[in-house]
């Protein structure tokens, strides 16, 4: 027997990531950390989103507050303008000059009011109207009078109803906050007087809100609706602003506000900062949109505290995550990693041929405990099966050696018989020509016939013994086939275990895929387990293939046993017939001395009998050669089987024992 060349596996070089994630506990810990990180990140993002929603609601509330303050500010100035107009209308000098249509006197009296009021109020217009709607005197523009004011709804309505009015309206000098009061002289209506307060920058700067800490910007824009609908960017003209700026806002929002009178909001960037933009309609006394108020809230100033708070939360929760991860790592190392390491060491020991390696992980009732129990049962079962297989291989080797020895004995006997038959054939050929020498040689022939009978009887006995050995060999081969079937079922059990492991890994991968990004760490772990299950399945397939090959060879041997047994029985029958023939020949030789006349016929019969005997012996030699070849193959298979068992017991890996060819492992 020659020992196979060393094919021990070379050490595998692992990358840093493979070393870090090679442990199941480490992979689980990484997945756990990633899950916690995603959960904390999701919580922070949800909180940040809710905070942004709160900021947007706060911005909307403040914008509405500013819009309401602007409305109140405009109403306050409108009431002021109406009060001033009413006070002027009650001046008797004004009434008299206006009643007499004395423009010069009215101008002199009104200019005194204009100068005094302009010192305290941002006056823009001081105007007298006469029915039906004609300009009588513009104190702010004395040279312009007599023009029709039919396009001024406030003037038309105030003259028609002879009642005071207040509100916002466009005029020849632009958009103003106006107050109109009727003027009576001796209870006779003589016209109306109008005071207009400028809608200018100072008006917006005087605007007060309760929350002074929120930076804001506000502009009043005149809208040319026709040009705005055509998409002309110059259709918006700033009338007043507390701070002048140029935002990038889509024109459709201004058109929506101008057409529907419904406020709109959006976001825009001004001077590198993000602003919340609130577009609010400024309506005239009739409720029509006279201009658009553009209110900007500093979104960056409101969001910046949230960002600082988010960064602080991230740092705090990251520290908490590291602490929890360390605690989990210590707990997993104590309760899971050590038992798994012991289980891995035991499996490596079995793979190295040590079927008696003990596994002790304590009394556990969890999955690890069940795995340890199943491993111990599998270890005992493999040890018992290999022991029986070794015993069967020994019995098979002994039987094959006995069969080979018997075949050699039968071969020697058949050679002697062939030689004897050849001698008989030569003597029978010469018997017809040398009748004189037959009488003298009769004693020798009788002795030779006696020897042939004895040898034929011995050959029959040996042939029967050889048949018995062949039957025992067939029985041993059947038992070996049954034990091979036990090995196949064991390997099938291992393949089923590998399939179940692969199925569990596949389910874990599906669950990880459903979890999305949070389950990526679980997906990596499931892929490693699935690869391990695939390797186990490949190993069991190789074991199954070798078992199938052995079982096929045994079936071939079993198929050849009946043929060999029949040939041996035929040889035994021929031997018995040879013994019977020699007995008859002895009787004839005895009668030869009494009847020489029958020598020729007897010689011819002997010659024919010897020829048949020679042919039968030749066939027997061929059958014996085939039996010798089969016995040698059976001996070689038994040696290979024992060598495989010896490799397992001597520490070779299971993969080496199954993958090493028979020609390399042993030679009989």
């Amino acid at each position: 027997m020659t020992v196979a060349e060393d094919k021990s596996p070379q050490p595998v070089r692992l990358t840093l990531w493979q070393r870090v994630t090679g442990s199941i506990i480490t992979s689980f810990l990484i997945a756990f950390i990633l899950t916690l990180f995603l959960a904390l990140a999701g919580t922070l993002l949800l909180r940040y989103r809710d905070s942004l929603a709160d900021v947007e609601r706060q911005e909307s509330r403040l914008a509405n507050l500013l819009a309401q303050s602007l409305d109140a500010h405009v109403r306050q100035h409108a009431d002021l303008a109406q009060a001033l107009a009413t006070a002027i209308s009650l001046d008797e000098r004004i009434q008299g000059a206006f009643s007499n249509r004395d423009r010069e006197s009215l101008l002199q009296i009104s200019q005194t009011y204009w100068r005094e009021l302009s010192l305290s109020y941002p006056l823009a217009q001081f105007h007298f109207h006469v029915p039906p709607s004609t300009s009588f005197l513009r104190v702010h523009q004395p040279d312009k009078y007599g023009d029709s004011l039919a396009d001024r709804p406030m003037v038309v309505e105030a003259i028609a109803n002879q009642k005071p009015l207040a509100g916002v309206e466009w005029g020849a000098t632009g958009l103003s906050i106006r107050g109109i009061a009727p003027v009576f002289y001796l209870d006779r209506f003589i016209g109306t007087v109008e005071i207009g307060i400028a809608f200018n920058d100072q008006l917006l700067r005087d605007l007060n809100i309760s929350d002074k800490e929120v930076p804001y910007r506000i502009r009043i824009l005149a809208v040319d609706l026709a040009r705005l609908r055509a998409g002309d960017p110059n259709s918006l003209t700033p009338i007043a602003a507390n701070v002048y700026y140029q935002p990038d806002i889509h024109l459709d929002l201004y058109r929506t506000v101008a057409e529907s009178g419904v406020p709109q909001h959006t976001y825009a960037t001004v001077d590198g900062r993000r602003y919340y933009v609130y577009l609010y309609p400024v309506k005239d006394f009739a409720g029509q949109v006279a201009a658009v108020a553009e209110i900007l809230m500093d979104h960056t100033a409101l969001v910046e505290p949230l960002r600082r708070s988010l960064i602080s939360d991230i740092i705090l929760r990251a520290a908490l995550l590291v602490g929890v991860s360390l605690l989990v790592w210590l707990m997993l190392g104590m309760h899971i990693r050590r038992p798994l390491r012991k289980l891995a060491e035991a499996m490596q020991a079995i793979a190295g041929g040590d079927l008696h390696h003990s596994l002790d992980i304590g009394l556990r009732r969890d999955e690890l405990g069940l795995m340890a129990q199943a491993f111990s049962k599998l270890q005992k079962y493999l040890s018992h099966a290999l022991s029986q297989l070794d015993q069967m291989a020994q019995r098979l080797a002994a039987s094959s050696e006995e069969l080979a020895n018997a075949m050699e004995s039968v071969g020697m006997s058949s050679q002697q018989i062939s030689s004897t038959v050849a001698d008989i054939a030569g003597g029978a050929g010469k018997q017809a020509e040398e009748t004189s020498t037959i009488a003298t040689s009769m004693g020798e022939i009788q002795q030779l016939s006696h020897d042939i009978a004895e040898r034929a009887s011995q050959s029959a006995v040996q042939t029967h013994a050889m048949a018995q050995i062949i039957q025992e060999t067939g029985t041993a081969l059947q038992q070996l086939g049954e034990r091979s079937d036990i090995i196949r079922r064991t390997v099938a059990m291992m393949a089923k275990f590998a399939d179940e492991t692969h199925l569990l890994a596949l389910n874990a991968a599906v669950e990880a895929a459903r979890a999305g990004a949070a389950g990526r760490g679980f997906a990596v772990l499931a892929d490693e387990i699935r690869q391990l299950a695939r390797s186990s399945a490949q190993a069991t397939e190789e074991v199954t293939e070798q078992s199938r090959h052995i079982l096929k060879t045994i079936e071939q041997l079993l198929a050849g046993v009946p043929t060999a047994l029949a040939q041996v029985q035929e040889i035994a029958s021929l031997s018995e017939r040879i013994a019977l023939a020699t007995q008859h020949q002895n009787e004839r030789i005895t009668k030869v001395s009494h009847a020489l006349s029958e020598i020729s016929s007897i010689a011819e019969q002997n010659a024919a009998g010897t020829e048949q005997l020679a042919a039968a012996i030749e066939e027997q030699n061929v059958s014996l050669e085939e039996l010798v070849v089969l016995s040698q193959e059976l001996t070689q298979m038994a040696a290979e089987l024992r060598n495989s068992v010896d490799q397992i017991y001597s520490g070779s890996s299971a993969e080496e024992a199954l993958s090493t060819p028979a020609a390399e492992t042993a030679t009989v």
Side-chain angles (χ1 to χ4, degrees), residues 324-339:
V324 172
S325 301
L326 290 176
L327 180 61
V328 171
W329 185 80
L330 292 175
M331 294 179 63
L332 290 178
M334 183 180 299
H335 295 284
I336 297 179
R337 185 174 59 184
R338 292 178 182 175

Side-chain angles (χ1 to χ4, degrees), residues 286-348:
Q288 300 299 320
V289 178
V292 175
E294 183 184 83
I295 301 173
L296 273 67
M297 309 293 299
D298 194 342
H299 180 73
T300 303
L302 293 174
V303 172
E304 189 63 28
L306 295 179
R307 292 178 179 174
R308 290 195 296 267
S309 176
L310 179 62
I311 293 174
S312 300
D313 286 346
I314 290 175
I315 295 174
L316 179 61
R317 298 193 182 194
L320 179 62
L321 175 61
V322 171
V324 172
S325 301
L326 290 176
L327 180 61
V328 171
W329 185 80
L330 292 175
M331 294 179 63
L332 290 178
M334 183 180 299
H335 295 284
I336 297 179
R337 185 174 59 184
R338 292 178 182 175
L340 283 178
R341 183 179 298 169
K342 291 182 179 180
L343 182 60
E345 291 175 354
M347 295 180 70
Q348 290 176 356

Side-chain angles (χ1 to χ4, degrees), residues 529-592:
I529 296 175
R530 189 165 60 253
Q531 291 180 3
L532 178 60
R534 189 180 294 112
S535 299
S536 300
Q538 291 177 355
T540 54
E541 287 179 1
E542 291 177 359
V543 174
T544 303
E545 182 64 26
Q546 291 297 326
S547 300
R548 189 181 295 111
H549 178 70
I550 294 173
L551 188 60
K552 183 177 180 181
T553 304
I554 292 173
E555 290 176 353
Q556 292 177 354
L557 290 176
L558 288 174
V561 167
T563 303
L565 184 61
Q567 291 175 353
V568 171
Q569 290 176 353
E570 184 177 357
I571 293 172
S573 177
L574 289 174
S575 299
E576 291 175 357
R577 283 187 288 175
I578 290 172
L580 182 62
T582 53
Q583 291 178 2
H584 288 299
Q585 188 176 7
N586 287 331
E587 292 175 0
R588 289 190 181 96
I589 290 173
T590 304
K591 293 179 181 180
V592 165

Side-chain angles (χ1 to χ4, degrees), residues 18 37 82 150 161 226 233 260 290 363 373 490 535 540 564 597 608 622 628:
Q18 289 174 336
F37 176 76
Q82 182 179 346
N161 296 330
S260 64
L363 296 177
Q373 294 177 5
T490 304
S535 299
T540 54
S597 58
V622 173
V628 170

